[in-house]
Amino acid sequence: MNTITSSTALWYTSRATGIISLVMLSAVVVLGVLVNRKGRLPGLPRFAVTGLHRTLSLLVVIYLALHILTAVADPYVSIRLIAAIVPFTSSYETFWLGLGAISLDLIITVVVTSLLRLRLGHRVWRGVHWLAYAAYPVALVHGIGASSDLRSGWLLALTVCCACAVCAAIGHRLAEAGHALPRPQRVAAVLSAFRAPAVTADRRTPAASHRKAPSR
Amino acid sequence: MTPTVLPVAATTSGITALPRLLPTAATSAGATMAVDLAGHLTRHGPLPYRGRPRLLLDTVHAAGLTGRGGAAFPVARKLAAVADAGRRAVVVANGAEGEPASGKDKLLLWTSPHLVLDGVQLAAETVGSAEAFLYVHRDEKLHGRLRAALAERAVAGTDRIPVTLVAAPPRFLAGEESALVNVIDGGEAIPRFTPHRVSESGVGGAPTLVQNVETLAHLALIARHGAGWFRAVGTPVEPGSMLTSCHQADGTPTVVETAIGTPLADLLNLTTRVQAVLVGGYHGVWLPVERARGLKLSNAALRPLGAAVGAGVLAALPASHCGLVETARVVRYLALESAGQCGPCLNGLPRIAAALGTLASLNPDEGTRRDLERWAGLVERRGACHHPDGTVRLVRSALVLFGPEIDRHRDGWCGARSSQPFLPIPAGVPTGEHDWR
Amino acid sequence: MSLRLRVNPITCAGHGLCAELLGEHITLDEWGYPVIADAPVPPGLKKLARRAATDCPALALLLVKEP
């Protein structure tokens, strides 16, 4: 007999919002990685990519809040709110929830600095934004470890898809970065790409020095 | 290239005659002999400290001294801006003469280092600075000479604040103000894009006075002899003298101190064997020799032609050389000297250089000139520094002046008889990371 | 008071977002870098100009107030 008590409702909500958060977080990371000069999504203008990246990341924060509040409110297991913020302070699943707290802290840092980007300046913001690359795998491991949901069936397939998408995007970006030249060599590279004809006088055709009419 | 001095005026009447900055023929047996501190003090007298900041400002303002590094900015205004910044300032003597055709700063530093160092002390006193740098291209011989001069002054106790000698990397842009600040702060010689002027926030964030070494040498003399003395030569609008690096058509480079407003024909031997004159160096413009014969060396005279005195580089291109080939060589060098930071410069200058190279070859592709002109428009005023602007200025003047030569090349002819490069370009363009530090 | 857009050419990486948002005021050159019209931002575009400045991935687009 399936009875949905208030406790089980909270428990299901917490699990569902956690899964939704993970999927959206994956999308946020993929979009963020693709925001560069060449990266384009077919049919989407660039500002839509950055807009989607931002909107989804704010949605992630909302879903994470639901995920945490429902888990805390659920009387079945005792999780204090502080455990969601301070890592490894939970008595229940200390390690796996600790990872969740770490990724939450990282995500909040990244989001807050992004909201203050104009004030912080590009360099500081960018430095902090690299934390996103740490937050994602920690969140993923937290999801897999804290609940058995993601370890089987179609949710496992979904998790693998998310991880693969993020890895593919990062791999694509790294491959592109590998082609980038260090600054001092860039100009020479562009110049040599043009195969400038010889500009030193002695490398011109002999016709030059003899003022010969060209044979056309 | 070691420039030599050709004093342009007899020096029997003393310090009022030229040269003022360089050793006189009388005091220097060999023209490039360096003057030691004792000789310097004998000729110019002791360092006239004013005792308080700002006291020299009125004199400099009355003298009408402008920067001799190329921009000709009024020195009194710059001094006042740094003095007014309200924080402890830093003074930098800029001797990084990146322009390959210019030799005047190196020569001045070699022959009259004490005049420059006097200027550093006086400028530091005027803006209330306790820290100064002498920024000069890496050259062991010259650095040795400057270290010796600083040591002499330390022994004699002439200096009130210490001066640190800093090596500038061997790049064209090393003397650009924000690149200079980067190097002194321990970074690379690459320009910055900042909303603040260096006079507000420069070395270590402090208000920074950057003055060309020649400017500081003039300052040291103005402090001694006054504004009226300085104005005894030059024009009312552009008073005083300046050092010029002159490249004669026969290939001899000389550094000459001359009054501003001197006819170009007095500085360059503009015979019928000369076809064009380069004014203002590699960020300058080509002028037809017929125009140059009637021109004076002043911004007032050059401005209507789109030219400027700049750092005083003049070159007379002999008729035996192809102006297109010469310009293409220089522009290729300038493109490779781009820091490669700004998109338009990184993409535009190499294309411009390549297109100019194509025009300088025989039977170039149709459309090359059109591409070149489009790219020139695309790089102008779109860099963090003025390197693209100056490069385009040179290219544009070449396209106008050597237009007939472009037509000849299109038809497979070239007007040149000589295959020897004329304008100086450093051998081997450095591209490594270390060359920027 | 009018607003003017400026590009920091060193940090600008040519993402091209600004030209997509402000096609009337900003075009891209043949290498993908923005060319900004030599005029104040038209009043109708101010909101988009602000968005372009905050959304620039390199934070290279600056809104400068002019008296």
Side-chain angles (χ1 to χ4, degrees), chain A residues 102-123:
Chain A
I102 291 176
S103 70
L104 178 74
D105 293 343
L106 292 174
I107 289 168
I108 287 175
T109 310
V110 168
V111 169
V112 169
T113 52
S114 290
L115 293 175
L116 298 173
R117 197 165 79 111
L118 278 179
R119 289 204 192 162
L120 292 174
H122 186 63
R123 209 175 278 188

Side-chain angles (χ1 to χ4, degrees), chain A residues 32-44:
Chain A
V33 169
L34 290 180
V35 179
N36 66 4
R37 260 205 93 167
K38 290 174 198 145
R40 294 209 71 162
L41 291 181
L44 269 189

Side-chain angles (χ1 to χ4, degrees), chain B residues 154-175:
Chain B
V155 170
T158 50
D159 288 357
R160 295 195 175 166
I161 67 161
V163 179
T164 311
L165 185 60
V166 177
R171 310 298 316 207
F172 185 82
L173 290 176

Side-chain angles (χ1 to χ4, degrees), chain A residues 37 182-188 190-191 194-202 204-205 207-214 216, chain B residues 188 190 325 328-329 332 335-336 338-341 346 350-351 354 357-358 362-363 410-411 413-416 419 431 433 436:
Chain A
R37 260 205 93 167
R183 187 194 54 72
Q185 291 161 29
R186 284 184 213 153
V187 177
V190 180
L191 188 57
F194 275 84
R195 292 183 203 290
V199 286
T200 51
D202 49 31
R204 285 174 304 153
T205 62
S209 45
H210 301 299
R211 298 181 151 223
K212 249 192 287 185
R216 281 207 207 177
Chain B
E188 293 179 302
I190 52 176
V325 171
R329 279 178 51 242
R332 184 172 193 277
L336 287 167
S338 161
Q341 296 189 102
L346 166 65
R351 283 175 174 84
T358 305
L362 297 182
N363 305 311
R410 194 184 52 214
D411 298 338
W413 293 65
C414 176
S419 59
T431 51
E433 304 265 358
W436 293 86

Side-chain angles (χ1 to χ4, degrees), chain A residues 131-147:
Chain A
L131 290 177
Y133 287 107
Y136 184 78
V138 175
L140 189 71
V141 173
H142 154 79
I144 295 168
S147 133

